[in-house]
Amino acid sequence: VWSKMAQSSSKPKRSIVSTSCVSSVLMGLYVVMACFNLYALMYPLSRIDLSTTPPEGFVNPLWSKEEKIQMKIYLSKKKSFDKSLLMNEFDEDENTDVRTTDDHTTMLWGVGVSQSSMSKSFLLTTSDCRDITTCGSEDDPSMRQAISWLDEAEKQMLEDKGVISTLSGAGQGIESTSLLLSLYEAIVTQIRRILEVLSLVDETNAANSGGNKGLLERSIIHLPRNSSMWTALLGNSTVYVHVVVAREQYNLIDAKNLNDAVSAIGRASNSHSLLLGKVGLVKHDEPNHITKPKRILLDDLVYCVRKYILQDKSQEFPPWDMEHSQPEYYETYNIAQRMKEKHQGYPFFKPEVAIKYLIDEDSYPMNLAHVSGMELVRVGKSQFHPSTIAHIPALHVDEIGLTSEKYIPLNQSISSLPLRISFDRSDVEEDDYVHRSTATAGGISPARWRLLSHLSQAIESQKELGFDQSDIDDLRRLIADTNVTLLGITVLASALHLLFEFLTFKNEVSFWRNNKDLTGLSVRSLFLDMIGQCVILLFLIEKDSSLLMTIPSACGVLIAMWKCKRASGLTLVKADSSKAASRWNYIPRLLGFEVRATRLESMTKATENSKRTSKDDLQALTMECDRIATSALSKFLVPLVVSYALYSFVSEEHSGWYSWFITTASSAVYALGFALMCPQLFLNYKLKSVAHLPWTVLCYKSVNTFIDDLFSFIIRMPTMARISCFRDDIVFFIYIYQRWLYPVDNSRPVEGGDGPSTESVSESKKDQ
């Protein structure tokens, strides 16, 4: 007992103030400060003592909760709202389903708003289609696509599938990219089909009940191709949706003529009872939707065989000459590339407009009234407004959930466009779900509005830091329709991911820097991992990924190279002409040098020595098992990789041969990457020990993979990348099982002892 105590006391004590401790404390402070600042942003009065402010020092709301309001929505080429927007309203026909305009403005919607959520769909078309039920029968691809978009959007609004319905509306199909949600969707669909087959559920009644929930309307807006608005849409300009909201007593929607409408708006404006809002329907962004022209590479091979072997010259141009094989798409791609070089934006149409009516019921001190975000107006002094200043509600167009894949590229072939407008208010509470049919399913509170406004500005500013539009879209999907609690969990998970990434890097470098014994460690696994990371880096470069993904991947490749150099002892020495050159030394020998793995060579010499120790036997066993496991692994993986490469070569389109090679290799790394750890697992099995592994590094990596699993449920990513998240979990659980199966025994030579296990190890080597 005393000897063990003496040994433990002789060990160097670890300092409390370590790099890991300091980084953890700093990250904890960052998370606390971030949550504290976000809460202060959402609730600016939470830290203010209002008891010291006199009544005349407050700015009170002018409008009351559940105010009866009326709304009109206009589609116009004009940027600002004026009297001319009202003229076209009273010149149109009485038909409410079809409206035709040759002017710059048309009224889309006029209604009294007494519900929490309302929605209406519109079909903007140049076709003279008068019946909304027969428009889809026309032989017009643009028309069919627009109607299909509206059908899918309305289907998502009317479906009542719990979490799937909410996520579909918020993220436009997140369930299609999330593993658990995809499984949930498949199970629910199969159960519904079984019930329909057993006649336990009437499909017709279910459809009718769903169709009555939202009371959705759809109108056709006929815009002739030579009209000013359609010309603005396709002519690198834009059109605007103008929203007018007024209190009910001003009879905004009951005006019989132009004079009544102008008078109602004037009276409402003078009494601060009018709200105006607008949003442009065209956004100019980089044309990332136009990728490189692709082709089936098998056609290249067939062309070469016919021309150079069979001497068949019937095909004038080769398949890789895109200028002749795909002339229209090739010209479009070149135009897009020139636009990118000149930083010109490509026009995209926004098919969704989500309008939020916001009213803040809190009273603010005059010196802090600006933090509410509401518009301040001057009113007459009264009992309710002794300060003569009040704040009025706001109209907010919520575009944080409008990601780039929802945009519709505009070109001269477009003849029809879909448009869905929703209006939500949070001050009306309804027990029934009948009218909550918008994608966001209700309004947003002022606190959440302040948070979303701040996050929207922060997201847009990330473009200057190297974020691609796809990265910004991922953030938008994460924030859209997400409650504050989940946002807080996301912030915490992101901070922990960054912390564990740093700790993994720090401990892994420390482990390999201090490592002096390769017993039980698979060097081949390190080289296989380095090759896989190099393939992933080349794949990211080929796909023109953002620097925020490419730079960390490049850093990972450098670390993997350093680990391989450290483990194998790679060094550049002068060439020895008396020895035969290995395969990888042909080129260095031309320069008078050669690459040698000095550490592995010393291990080989030690195992060949007649006076070898138990440690030498263990190293020999390690190298032999590593070789056998890698050889068996190659026999399993090579046929799979070659088969997939041939399948991709024959049936999938690629922009070139290099793209095919790197895409196939990256897919193999993503799908079969777990197999690269098999040599290390085999070594653990043969040595009956896991004490030689860097368990601190493995634990940090495992926590990071669990965080990746969390994000894989809610962030859109390739299927291969999602599989790679769960593949790391499987490997770690196998490590955990091996640690339980092979407990640490310090008396064994493989774990640092000098016990009598040399013969048993040697026998194991002979058996192997």
Side-chain angles (χ1 to χ4, degrees):
V1 173
W2 284 107
S3 62
K4 290 183 179 180
M5 293 179 61
Q7 292 178 1
S8 61
S9 62
S10 62
K11 294 180 179 179
K13 296 183 179 180
R14 299 182 62 181
S15 175
I16 298 178
V17 185
S18 61
T19 305
S20 302
C21 180
V22 172
S23 59
S24 301
V25 171
L26 292 177
M27 187 58 67
L29 291 176
Y30 165 76
V31 173
V32 172
M33 291 300 297
C35 295
F36 182 79
N37 291 333
L38 288 178
Y39 185 83
L41 174 69
M42 297 173 62
Y43 304 98
L45 299 179
S46 59
R47 295 181 294 175
I48 306 300
D49 185 9
L50 302 179
S51 60
T52 59
T53 304
E56 60 273 11
F58 281 99
V59 176
N60 300 319
L62 183 62
W63 294 29
S64 62
K65 183 181 179 182
E66 298 187 4
E67 186 84 45
K68 293 183 178 180
I69 59 177
Q70 295 179 342
M71 173 189 66
K72 280 188 176 181
I73 298 179
Y74 298 88
L75 181 67
S76 176
K77 180 183 175 182
K78 289 195 170 184
K79 186 176 182 179
S80 58
F81 181 83
D82 54 24
K83 177 181 176 180
S84 61
L85 271 72
L86 305 175
M87 295 180 179
N88 188 268
E89 174 185 351
F90 299 96
D91 294 336
E92 295 177 346
D93 299 332
E94 295 297 327
N95 189 353
T96 58
D97 285 338
V98 181
R99 303 191 186 98
T100 303
T101 176
D102 294 326
D103 208 349
H104 54 72
T105 303
T106 183
M107 192 187 79
L108 298 178
W109 198 7
V111 66
V113 183
S114 59
Q115 306 160 356
S116 62
S117 297
M118 304 179 66
S119 179
K120 190 172 183 179
S121 300
F122 302 90
L123 181 64
L124 311 180
T125 179
T126 59
S127 302
D128 191 10
C129 181
R130 294 289 175 174
D131 188 357
I132 199 169
T133 60
T134 60
C135 282
S137 61
E138 296 188 11
D139 188 15
D140 186 353
S142 180
M143 171 78 74
R144 291 198 302 269
Q145 186 176 4
I147 294 178
S148 175
W149 190 97
L150 291 176
D151 292 340
E152 184 64 25
E154 293 174 0
K155 177 183 176 182
Q156 291 178 1
M157 288 191 295
L158 295 179
E159 283 180 346
D160 187 8
K161 294 191 284 186
V163 65
I164 290 296
S165 179
T166 302
L167 290 177
S168 297
Q172 189 65 29
I174 291 179
E175 77 283 352
S176 65
T177 58
S178 173
L179 188 64
L180 292 186
L181 293 180
S182 299
L183 182 61
Y184 170 83
E185 171 73 3
I187 293 175
V188 170
T189 303
Q190 293 299 326
I191 292 177
R192 187 184 299 113
R193 290 177 179 175
I194 293 175
L195 294 178
E196 291 174 359
V197 171
L198 298 178
S199 300
L200 298 178
V201 174
D202 190 351
E203 184 177 2
T204 304
N205 293 336
N208 292 335
S209 63
N212 293 329
K213 279 170 50 178
L215 302 178
L216 297 181
E217 302 178 50
R218 184 182 298 183
S219 297
I220 300 175
I221 307 299
H222 179 220
L223 301 175
R225 189 171 287 274
N226 59 352
S227 63
S228 59
M229 279 196 288
W230 194 260
T231 304
L233 278 173
L234 302 185
N236 205 26
S237 183
T238 186
V239 295
Y240 299 89
V241 169
H242 291 271
V243 184
V244 183
V245 175
R247 289 178 173 179
E248 188 180 42
Q249 60 263 34
Y250 295 97
N251 298 322
L252 181 63
I253 63 175
D254 297 329
K256 302 299 183 180
N257 51 52
L258 179 61
N259 292 332
D260 291 345
V262 173
S263 175
I265 290 179
R267 288 183 289 111
S269 177
N270 293 333
S271 61
H272 306 295
S273 299
L274 182 71
L275 303 178
L276 299 177
K278 72 174 185 297
V279 58
L281 292 183
V282 177
K283 178 181 179 180
H284 291 82
D285 206 345
E286 290 187 358
N288 295 319
H289 66 289
I290 303 177
T291 59
K292 293 181 180 180
K294 297 181 179 180
R295 64 187 187 277
I296 300 294
L297 295 182
L298 180 61
D299 297 339
D300 294 6
L301 186 60
V302 172
Y303 173 82
C304 293
V305 171
R306 286 181 175 179
K307 183 174 182 179
Y308 298 106
I309 298 179
L310 302 179
Q311 300 297 320
D312 183 5
K313 298 183 180 181
S314 58
Q315 188 174 353
E316 184 177 359
F317 299 103
W320 57 82
D321 188 358
M322 294 298 178
E323 186 176 0
H324 295 89
S325 58
Q326 301 180 26
E328 295 182 0
Y329 190 86
Y330 182 77
E331 179 63 24
T332 304
Y333 173 74
N334 286 335
I335 294 175
Q337 293 301 111
R338 288 193 293 268
M339 294 178 68
K340 286 184 178 181
E341 294 175 358
K342 297 179 181 179
H343 301 286
Q344 296 178 350
Y346 190 92
F348 294 90
F349 181 76
K350 302 177 184 177
E352 290 184 356
V353 176
I355 306 166
K356 307 294 182 181
Y357 170 80
L358 303 165
I359 182 169
D360 195 344
E361 302 177 67
D362 293 333
S363 298
Y364 293 84
M366 293 187 63
N367 60 337
L368 294 176
H370 63 281
V371 301
S372 67
M374 302 294 172
E375 182 182 355
L376 303 179
V377 296
R378 187 169 293 278
V379 297
K381 189 173 183 178
S382 63
Q383 179 183 358
F384 298 102
H385 304 285
S387 65
T388 69
I389 297 178
H391 62 79
I392 61 176
L395 293 179
H396 168 64
V397 178
D398 187 11
E399 294 187 348
I400 197 168
L402 191 60
T403 53
S404 60
E405 76 272 2
K406 295 182 181 180
Y407 296 148
I408 299 176
L410 294 175
N411 53 61
Q412 295 300 323
S413 64
I414 295 292
S415 63
S416 301
L417 290 169
L419 177 62
R420 187 182 66 178
I421 301 177
S422 62
F423 187 89
D424 302 311
R425 54 186 301 184
S426 59
D427 61 330
V428 176
E429 298 180 359
E430 295 181 358
D431 296 331
D432 193 4
Y433 190 79
V434 170
H435 299 291
R436 298 175 66 83
S437 58
T438 61
T440 51
I444 57 178
S445 64
R448 179 173 172 80
W449 170 59
R450 285 187 283 266
L451 175 63
L452 292 181
S453 299
H454 173 75
L455 294 178
S456 297
Q457 296 176 1
I459 287 175
E460 291 301 325
S461 64
Q462 299 307 309
K463 288 185 177 180
E464 301 176 358
L465 300 178
F467 270 92
D468 274 355
Q469 187 62 45
S470 59
D471 302 323
I472 295 177
D473 288 343
D474 286 338
L475 294 177
R476 287 182 178 274
R477 293 187 194 96
L478 190 62
I479 295 172
D481 273 349
T482 305
N483 56 47
V484 179
T485 303
L486 184 55
L487 283 177
I489 295 175
T490 304
V491 172
L492 178 61
S494 302
L496 291 177
H497 192 282
L498 182 62
L499 172 63
F500 290 128
E501 195 73 32
F502 169 75
L503 294 178
T504 299
F505 167 75
K506 179 252 181 186
N507 286 277
E508 192 166 24
V509 170
S510 177
F511 172 82
W512 285 105
R513 179 181 295 172
N514 300 324
N515 179 267
K516 297 180 180 180
D517 186 7
L518 294 177
T519 301
L521 297 175
S522 174
V523 178
R524 284 180 170 85
S525 292
L526 296 178
F527 277 91
L528 290 176
D529 178 66
M530 181 196 68
I531 294 174
Q533 292 195 43
C534 290
V535 169
I536 297 301
L537 175 61
L538 295 176
F539 174 73
L540 294 176
I541 296 175
E542 167 67 18
K543 295 300 180 180
D544 197 18
S545 300
S546 65
L547 295 178
L548 293 176
M549 295 181 63
T550 307
I551 292 178
S553 179
C555 293
V557 170
L558 294 177
I559 295 173
M561 289 181 175
W562 178 81
K563 289 193 300 183
C564 292
K565 176 184 180 301
R566 179 66 183 171
S568 60
L570 289 175
T571 183
L572 190 65
V573 299
K574 289 187 176 181
D576 187 359
S577 58
S578 60
K579 296 182 179 180
S582 55
R583 290 189 299 270
W584 56 80
N585 274 323
Y586 285 143
I587 297 178
R589 279 223 172 182
L590 297 176
L591 303 175
F593 296 92
E594 63 181 3
V595 179
R596 295 179 58 185
T598 56
R599 196 171 181 183
L600 295 178
E601 289 179 359
S602 61
M603 288 179 58
T604 304
K605 292 179 180 179
T607 56
E608 295 175 353
N609 190 1
S610 58
K611 297 181 180 180
R612 59 191 181 197
T613 61
S614 59
K615 181 179 179 180
D616 297 334
D617 287 334
L618 289 172
Q619 291 182 347
L621 179 61
T622 298
M623 296 180 64
E624 184 67 16
C625 293
D626 195 8
R627 185 191 63 80
I628 294 175
T630 306
S631 177
L633 183 64
S634 62
K635 295 179 182 178
F636 168 74
L637 291 182
V638 170
L640 292 178
V641 174
V642 171
S643 300
Y644 175 74
L646 292 176
Y647 168 79
S648 179
F649 178 80
V650 172
S651 60
E652 295 181 354
E653 291 186 340
H654 299 277
S655 58
W657 287 82
Y658 174 75
S659 176
W660 164 73
F661 170 77
I662 203 65
T663 302
T664 304
S666 62
S667 300
V669 171
Y670 273 133
L672 305 174
F674 70 94
L676 302 181
M677 294 304 298
C678 289
Q680 184 62 63
L681 297 175
F682 183 72
L683 273 176
N684 300 339
Y685 166 72
K686 282 300 180 182
L687 296 178
K688 301 296 187 291
S689 173
V690 293
H692 44 271
L693 296 178
W695 279 102
T696 304
V697 176
L698 291 177
C699 289
Y700 286 140
K701 282 186 176 181
S702 65
V703 175
N704 255 353
T705 58
F706 295 144
I707 296 176
D708 291 338
D709 296 341
L710 171 66
F711 282 103
S712 69
F713 297 147
I714 54 180
I715 288 183
R716 198 175 286 251
M717 62 175 61
T719 304
M720 290 299 182
R722 179 171 290 109
I723 292 175
S724 68
C725 295
F726 294 97
R727 133 200 123 189
D728 296 335
D729 296 339
I730 296 174
V731 173
F732 179 74
F733 283 130
I734 296 176
Y735 279 144
I736 292 294
Y737 173 73
Q738 287 185 334
R739 185 177 178 86
W740 170 80
L741 192 63
Y742 312 132
V744 177
D745 184 2
N746 291 327
S747 63
R748 301 176 62 217
V750 71
E751 292 167 1
D754 294 322
S757 301
T758 304
E759 295 181 0
S760 60
V761 173
S762 300
E763 291 297 330
S764 300
K765 179 187 173 184
K766 292 179 181 179
D767 295 340
Q768 189 61 46

